[in-house]
Amino acid sequence: MSEWNEGKKKVFLIGDSFAQDLTNAIYEVGILENISLSTWFVRARCGNLFISSIEKEKFIHERYRRGCWSVNYFENQEVVSHLKTADEVWLASAWKNWEVELMPESLKNLEAITNANIRIFGRKDFPYFKPHKYLGLNPKKRSLFQEPIDIQSIKLNEKFMKHIEGYSFIDVQSLICGGDVMKCKIFDSNGDIKTYDGGHLTKYGAKFYGESIKIIVKEYLNW
């Protein structure tokens, strides 16, 4: 975590490698010039939830529990202090079904200690990564290429939105895939690939993501 720049909107971003993708997107398009960003990393297997370790225990393999407890921010006073002083709290992760179920409780716990605006960034899932399909395509054809998204990923996102109804939710899946709910474009308009593994972003993908959320962020933060 970094100290706040008191002259800017204070944004506390918490999450796993998907939160790191969001951080890269923020850097790529200059959003950082207008915010003071601080981050806390939570591994995907540990659950990005503001609840006690005991409540999460049964969902985490015993071999990982000790490491997960060290990043569980419910018990971390430094993190709690940051939550209390932030203007915005952003949660971004490769959300799992068990996290979706416990998210309402987590949000209530957060609201009890902070006056910050809490925003949840949904999952982003690309079609199964198949490089051999793209090798013979020219940039124009790559920019138009799209494939279906796994139906389970779509269902999880829909379930998530229902569970957190009334909270600020950013549909990252739709943004990163070009606005289509069922299919996804994995290349940008120049034919550059957005992902290197089917889940995480290349530099081009981070820039595409950043440009997609920039208007939303401007509206949220009034700058």
Side-chain angles (χ1 to χ4, degrees), residues 4 10-14 73 82-92 107 110 114-121 168:
W4 297 124
K10 299 185 284 292
V11 177
F12 194 17
L13 172 58
I14 303 172
Y73 50 100
H82 251 53
L83 288 167
K84 289 180 177 179
T85 55
D87 297 309
E88 298 267 330
V89 173
W90 294 357
L91 308 172
L107 292 171
L110 281 170
T114 183
N115 292 320
N117 296 308
I118 302 170
R119 310 194 193 278
I120 303 98
F121 289 74
S168 178

mmCIF file of all heavy atoms in Angstrom, residues 4 10-14 73 82-92 107 110 114-121 168:
data_model
loop_
_atom_site.group_PDB
_atom_site.id
_atom_site.type_symbol
_atom_site.label_atom_id
_atom_site.label_comp_id
_atom_site.label_asym_id
_atom_site.label_seq_id
_atom_site.Cartn_x
_atom_site.Cartn_y
_atom_site.Cartn_z
ATOM 1 N N TRP A 4 -1.463 8.223 0.792
ATOM 2 C CA TRP A 4 -2.347 9.032 -0.045
ATOM 3 C C TRP A 4 -1.716 10.344 -0.464
ATOM 4 O O TRP A 4 -0.958 10.950 0.301
ATOM 5 C CB TRP A 4 -3.641 9.364 0.705
ATOM 6 C CG TRP A 4 -4.512 8.215 1.098
ATOM 7 C CD1 TRP A 4 -4.953 7.911 2.361
ATOM 8 C CD2 TRP A 4 -5.086 7.230 0.234
ATOM 9 N NE1 TRP A 4 -5.754 6.801 2.332
ATOM 10 C CE2 TRP A 4 -5.855 6.357 1.037
ATOM 11 C CE3 TRP A 4 -5.017 6.988 -1.144
ATOM 12 C CZ2 TRP A 4 -6.563 5.271 0.525
ATOM 13 C CZ3 TRP A 4 -5.715 5.910 -1.666
ATOM 14 C CH2 TRP A 4 -6.470 5.066 -0.846
ATOM 15 N N LYS A 10 -8.871 9.700 -3.494
ATOM 16 C CA LYS A 10 -8.150 8.554 -2.942
ATOM 17 C C LYS A 10 -8.903 7.261 -3.301
ATOM 18 O O LYS A 10 -10.018 7.033 -2.843
ATOM 19 C CB LYS A 10 -8.011 8.703 -1.431
ATOM 20 C CG LYS A 10 -7.224 9.951 -1.027
ATOM 21 C CD LYS A 10 -6.990 10.026 0.456
ATOM 22 C CE LYS A 10 -8.232 10.438 1.229
ATOM 23 N NZ LYS A 10 -8.625 11.829 0.962
ATOM 24 N N VAL A 11 -8.261 6.441 -4.121
ATOM 25 C CA VAL A 11 -8.856 5.195 -4.599
ATOM 26 C C VAL A 11 -8.070 4.014 -4.033
ATOM 27 O O VAL A 11 -6.867 3.883 -4.276
ATOM 28 C CB VAL A 11 -8.861 5.127 -6.143
ATOM 29 C CG1 VAL A 11 -9.421 3.786 -6.602
ATOM 30 C CG2 VAL A 11 -9.672 6.286 -6.721
ATOM 31 N N PHE A 12 -8.759 3.154 -3.295
ATOM 32 C CA PHE A 12 -8.143 1.964 -2.720
ATOM 33 C C PHE A 12 -8.637 0.748 -3.513
ATOM 34 O O PHE A 12 -9.808 0.397 -3.462
ATOM 35 C CB PHE A 12 -8.531 1.841 -1.250
ATOM 36 C CG PHE A 12 -7.713 0.850 -0.463
ATOM 37 C CD1 PHE A 12 -6.501 0.386 -0.930
ATOM 38 C CD2 PHE A 12 -8.152 0.397 0.775
ATOM 39 C CE1 PHE A 12 -5.740 -0.517 -0.201
ATOM 40 C CE2 PHE A 12 -7.405 -0.508 1.518
ATOM 41 C CZ PHE A 12 -6.194 -0.964 1.028
ATOM 42 N N LEU A 13 -7.720 0.129 -4.261
ATOM 43 C CA LEU A 13 -8.037 -1.008 -5.126
ATOM 44 C C LEU A 13 -7.571 -2.301 -4.459
ATOM 45 O O LEU A 13 -6.395 -2.446 -4.134
ATOM 46 C CB LEU A 13 -7.366 -0.833 -6.486
ATOM 47 C CG LEU A 13 -7.419 -2.000 -7.464
ATOM 48 C CD1 LEU A 13 -8.854 -2.404 -7.774
ATOM 49 C CD2 LEU A 13 -6.662 -1.661 -8.742
ATOM 50 N N ILE A 14 -8.490 -3.242 -4.284
ATOM 51 C CA ILE A 14 -8.194 -4.500 -3.609
ATOM 52 C C ILE A 14 -8.536 -5.663 -4.538
ATOM 53 O O ILE A 14 -9.610 -5.690 -5.139
ATOM 54 C CB ILE A 14 -9.009 -4.622 -2.307
ATOM 55 C CG1 ILE A 14 -8.737 -3.434 -1.375
ATOM 56 C CG2 ILE A 14 -8.678 -5.939 -1.587
ATOM 57 C CD1 ILE A 14 -9.636 -3.383 -0.154
ATOM 58 N N TYR A 73 -7.694 -8.952 4.753
ATOM 59 C CA TYR A 73 -7.656 -7.579 5.247
ATOM 60 C C TYR A 73 -8.692 -7.264 6.308
ATOM 61 O O TYR A 73 -8.680 -6.187 6.902
ATOM 62 C CB TYR A 73 -7.745 -6.588 4.087
ATOM 63 C CG TYR A 73 -8.860 -6.796 3.083
ATOM 64 C CD1 TYR A 73 -10.020 -6.041 3.134
ATOM 65 C CD2 TYR A 73 -8.716 -7.712 2.045
ATOM 66 C CE1 TYR A 73 -11.020 -6.212 2.196
ATOM 67 C CE2 TYR A 73 -9.713 -7.882 1.101
ATOM 68 C CZ TYR A 73 -10.875 -7.135 1.181
ATOM 69 O OH TYR A 73 -11.866 -7.297 0.255
ATOM 70 N N HIS A 82 -6.816 2.462 5.839
ATOM 71 C CA HIS A 82 -6.908 2.924 4.444
ATOM 72 C C HIS A 82 -8.362 2.935 3.976
ATOM 73 O O HIS A 82 -8.789 3.855 3.268
ATOM 74 C CB HIS A 82 -6.066 2.016 3.535
ATOM 75 C CG HIS A 82 -4.827 2.680 3.017
ATOM 76 N ND1 HIS A 82 -3.908 3.298 3.830
ATOM 77 C CD2 HIS A 82 -4.351 2.839 1.750
ATOM 78 C CE1 HIS A 82 -2.922 3.792 3.089
ATOM 79 N NE2 HIS A 82 -3.178 3.540 1.817
ATOM 80 N N LEU A 83 -9.099 1.917 4.348
ATOM 81 C CA LEU A 83 -10.512 1.856 3.975
ATOM 82 C C LEU A 83 -11.281 3.038 4.545
ATOM 83 O O LEU A 83 -12.155 3.611 3.885
ATOM 84 C CB LEU A 83 -11.134 0.545 4.472
ATOM 85 C CG LEU A 83 -10.721 -0.734 3.738
ATOM 86 C CD1 LEU A 83 -11.163 -1.968 4.523
ATOM 87 C CD2 LEU A 83 -11.306 -0.760 2.338
ATOM 88 N N LYS A 84 -10.956 3.414 5.748
ATOM 89 C CA LYS A 84 -11.664 4.506 6.419
ATOM 90 C C LYS A 84 -11.357 5.871 5.800
ATOM 91 O O LYS A 84 -12.183 6.784 5.867
ATOM 92 C CB LYS A 84 -11.309 4.528 7.907
ATOM 93 C CG LYS A 84 -11.901 3.375 8.697
ATOM 94 C CD LYS A 84 -11.509 3.461 10.163
ATOM 95 C CE LYS A 84 -12.148 2.347 10.970
ATOM 96 N NZ LYS A 84 -11.763 2.410 12.408
ATOM 97 N N THR A 85 -10.184 6.008 5.199
ATOM 98 C CA THR A 85 -9.779 7.321 4.670
ATOM 99 C C THR A 85 -9.937 7.433 3.153
ATOM 100 O O THR A 85 -9.732 8.511 2.594
ATOM 101 C CB THR A 85 -8.319 7.612 5.042
ATOM 102 O OG1 THR A 85 -7.478 6.548 4.594
ATOM 103 C CG2 THR A 85 -8.172 7.757 6.564
ATOM 104 N N ALA A 86 -10.297 6.340 2.488
ATOM 105 C CA ALA A 86 -10.433 6.354 1.033
ATOM 106 C C ALA A 86 -11.708 7.073 0.594
ATOM 107 O O ALA A 86 -12.707 7.106 1.324
ATOM 108 C CB ALA A 86 -10.452 4.923 0.502
ATOM 109 N N ASP A 87 -11.661 7.665 -0.589
ATOM 110 C CA ASP A 87 -12.868 8.216 -1.219
ATOM 111 C C ASP A 87 -13.604 7.143 -2.010
ATOM 112 O O ASP A 87 -14.831 7.184 -2.140
ATOM 113 C CB ASP A 87 -12.498 9.368 -2.167
ATOM 114 C CG ASP A 87 -11.865 10.540 -1.451
ATOM 115 O OD1 ASP A 87 -12.450 11.011 -0.462
ATOM 116 O OD2 ASP A 87 -10.772 10.973 -1.883
ATOM 117 N N GLU A 88 -12.821 6.203 -2.550
ATOM 118 C CA GLU A 88 -13.363 5.122 -3.369
ATOM 119 C C GLU A 88 -12.689 3.809 -2.958
ATOM 120 O O GLU A 88 -11.477 3.771 -2.759
ATOM 121 C CB GLU A 88 -13.087 5.369 -4.860
ATOM 122 C CG GLU A 88 -13.705 6.615 -5.440
ATOM 123 C CD GLU A 88 -15.076 6.333 -6.066
ATOM 124 O OE1 GLU A 88 -15.282 5.208 -6.552
ATOM 125 O OE2 GLU A 88 -15.907 7.252 -6.074
ATOM 126 N N VAL A 89 -13.480 2.744 -2.862
ATOM 127 C CA VAL A 89 -12.946 1.397 -2.667
ATOM 128 C C VAL A 89 -13.379 0.565 -3.863
ATOM 129 O O VAL A 89 -14.571 0.413 -4.129
ATOM 130 C CB VAL A 89 -13.469 0.762 -1.359
ATOM 131 C CG1 VAL A 89 -13.029 -0.702 -1.274
ATOM 132 C CG2 VAL A 89 -12.968 1.542 -0.148
ATOM 133 N N TRP A 90 -12.396 0.059 -4.609
ATOM 134 C CA TRP A 90 -12.662 -0.744 -5.807
ATOM 135 C C TRP A 90 -12.241 -2.180 -5.549
ATOM 136 O O TRP A 90 -11.129 -2.446 -5.080
ATOM 137 C CB TRP A 90 -11.893 -0.198 -7.007
ATOM 138 C CG TRP A 90 -12.334 1.175 -7.454
ATOM 139 C CD1 TRP A 90 -13.357 1.927 -6.940
ATOM 140 C CD2 TRP A 90 -11.754 1.952 -8.510
ATOM 141 N NE1 TRP A 90 -13.465 3.125 -7.605
ATOM 142 C CE2 TRP A 90 -12.495 3.164 -8.577
ATOM 143 C CE3 TRP A 90 -10.712 1.752 -9.399
ATOM 144 C CZ2 TRP A 90 -12.194 4.163 -9.499
ATOM 145 C CZ3 TRP A 90 -10.405 2.735 -10.314
ATOM 146 C CH2 TRP A 90 -11.149 3.939 -10.369
ATOM 147 N N LEU A 91 -13.117 -3.117 -5.863
ATOM 148 C CA LEU A 91 -12.849 -4.538 -5.690
ATOM 149 C C LEU A 91 -12.832 -5.203 -7.066
ATOM 150 O O LEU A 91 -13.805 -5.104 -7.813
ATOM 151 C CB LEU A 91 -13.929 -5.175 -4.817
ATOM 152 C CG LEU A 91 -14.207 -4.493 -3.474
ATOM 153 C CD1 LEU A 91 -15.422 -5.115 -2.805
ATOM 154 C CD2 LEU A 91 -12.979 -4.574 -2.569
ATOM 155 N N ALA A 92 -11.727 -5.875 -7.387
ATOM 156 C CA ALA A 92 -11.598 -6.513 -8.697
ATOM 157 C C ALA A 92 -10.914 -7.861 -8.539
ATOM 158 O O ALA A 92 -9.832 -7.942 -7.966
ATOM 159 C CB ALA A 92 -10.789 -5.629 -9.646
ATOM 160 N N LEU A 107 -19.864 -6.694 1.785
ATOM 161 C CA LEU A 107 -20.199 -5.298 1.492
ATOM 162 C C LEU A 107 -20.807 -4.600 2.712
ATOM 163 O O LEU A 107 -20.517 -3.424 2.978
ATOM 164 C CB LEU A 107 -21.147 -5.231 0.298
ATOM 165 C CG LEU A 107 -20.535 -5.634 -1.051
ATOM 166 C CD1 LEU A 107 -21.617 -5.742 -2.125
ATOM 167 C CD2 LEU A 107 -19.459 -4.650 -1.487
ATOM 168 N N LEU A 110 -17.992 -3.734 4.991
ATOM 169 C CA LEU A 110 -17.251 -2.579 4.486
ATOM 170 C C LEU A 110 -18.013 -1.281 4.759
ATOM 171 O O LEU A 110 -17.430 -0.287 5.202
ATOM 172 C CB LEU A 110 -17.003 -2.729 2.979
ATOM 173 C CG LEU A 110 -15.863 -3.642 2.538
ATOM 174 C CD1 LEU A 110 -15.908 -3.860 1.035
ATOM 175 C CD2 LEU A 110 -14.508 -3.065 2.947
ATOM 176 N N THR A 114 -16.548 2.381 6.441
ATOM 177 C CA THR A 114 -16.084 3.406 5.504
ATOM 178 C C THR A 114 -17.239 4.141 4.861
ATOM 179 O O THR A 114 -18.304 3.558 4.623
ATOM 180 C CB THR A 114 -15.191 2.786 4.398
ATOM 181 O OG1 THR A 114 -14.697 3.823 3.544
ATOM 182 C CG2 THR A 114 -15.953 1.777 3.561
ATOM 183 N N ASN A 115 -16.999 5.415 4.579
ATOM 184 C CA ASN A 115 -17.969 6.224 3.838
ATOM 185 C C ASN A 115 -17.617 6.292 2.354
ATOM 186 O O ASN A 115 -18.262 7.020 1.595
ATOM 187 C CB ASN A 115 -18.018 7.639 4.418
ATOM 188 C CG ASN A 115 -18.610 7.665 5.817
ATOM 189 O OD1 ASN A 115 -19.580 6.967 6.105
ATOM 190 N ND2 ASN A 115 -18.009 8.458 6.703
ATOM 191 N N ALA A 116 -16.595 5.546 1.958
ATOM 192 C CA ALA A 116 -16.157 5.554 0.553
ATOM 193 C C ALA A 116 -17.224 4.946 -0.351
ATOM 194 O O ALA A 116 -18.047 4.136 0.088
ATOM 195 C CB ALA A 116 -14.855 4.769 0.413
ATOM 196 N N ASN A 117 -17.207 5.354 -1.607
ATOM 197 C CA ASN A 117 -18.036 4.706 -2.618
ATOM 198 C C ASN A 117 -17.412 3.349 -2.946
ATOM 199 O O ASN A 117 -16.237 3.277 -3.287
ATOM 200 C CB ASN A 117 -18.103 5.563 -3.886
ATOM 201 C CG ASN A 117 -18.772 6.892 -3.642
ATOM 202 O OD1 ASN A 117 -19.875 6.952 -3.107
ATOM 203 N ND2 ASN A 117 -18.111 7.979 -4.030
ATOM 204 N N ILE A 118 -18.193 2.295 -2.839
ATOM 205 C CA ILE A 118 -17.691 0.944 -3.090
ATOM 206 C C ILE A 118 -18.131 0.503 -4.483
ATOM 207 O O ILE A 118 -19.320 0.542 -4.803
ATOM 208 C CB ILE A 118 -18.220 -0.045 -2.039
ATOM 209 C CG1 ILE A 118 -17.807 0.414 -0.634
ATOM 210 C CG2 ILE A 118 -17.700 -1.453 -2.321
ATOM 211 C CD1 ILE A 118 -18.477 -0.365 0.483
ATOM 212 N N ARG A 119 -17.167 0.103 -5.299
ATOM 213 C CA ARG A 119 -17.472 -0.305 -6.667
ATOM 214 C C ARG A 119 -16.864 -1.677 -6.932
ATOM 215 O O ARG A 119 -15.717 -1.946 -6.564
ATOM 216 C CB ARG A 119 -16.958 0.720 -7.670
ATOM 217 C CG ARG A 119 -17.387 2.155 -7.310
ATOM 218 C CD ARG A 119 -17.191 3.115 -8.435
ATOM 219 N NE ARG A 119 -17.311 4.496 -7.975
ATOM 220 C CZ ARG A 119 -18.450 5.148 -7.806
ATOM 221 N NH1 ARG A 119 -19.593 4.529 -8.043
ATOM 222 N NH2 ARG A 119 -18.462 6.407 -7.376
ATOM 223 N N ILE A 120 -17.640 -2.538 -7.569
ATOM 224 C CA ILE A 120 -17.207 -3.900 -7.848
ATOM 225 C C ILE A 120 -16.983 -4.066 -9.337
ATOM 226 O O ILE A 120 -17.877 -3.782 -10.142
ATOM 227 C CB ILE A 120 -18.243 -4.923 -7.350
ATOM 228 C CG1 ILE A 120 -18.512 -4.739 -5.848
ATOM 229 C CG2 ILE A 120 -17.772 -6.341 -7.624
ATOM 230 C CD1 ILE A 120 -19.751 -3.944 -5.547
ATOM 231 N N PHE A 121 -15.794 -4.501 -9.700
ATOM 232 C CA PHE A 121 -15.451 -4.770 -11.092
ATOM 233 C C PHE A 121 -15.637 -6.267 -11.343
ATOM 234 O O PHE A 121 -15.014 -7.096 -10.677
ATOM 235 C CB PHE A 121 -14.008 -4.358 -11.379
ATOM 236 C CG PHE A 121 -13.795 -2.867 -11.407
ATOM 237 C CD1 PHE A 121 -13.788 -2.122 -10.231
ATOM 238 C CD2 PHE A 121 -13.620 -2.203 -12.612
ATOM 239 C CE1 PHE A 121 -13.608 -0.742 -10.256
ATOM 240 C CE2 PHE A 121 -13.435 -0.820 -12.647
ATOM 241 C CZ PHE A 121 -13.436 -0.096 -11.467
ATOM 242 N N SER A 168 -22.692 -0.366 -6.947
ATOM 243 C CA SER A 168 -22.070 0.038 -8.207
ATOM 244 C C SER A 168 -21.279 -1.130 -8.787
ATOM 245 O O SER A 168 -20.301 -1.586 -8.201
ATOM 246 C CB SER A 168 -21.154 1.239 -7.965
ATOM 247 O OG SER A 168 -20.500 1.618 -9.143
#
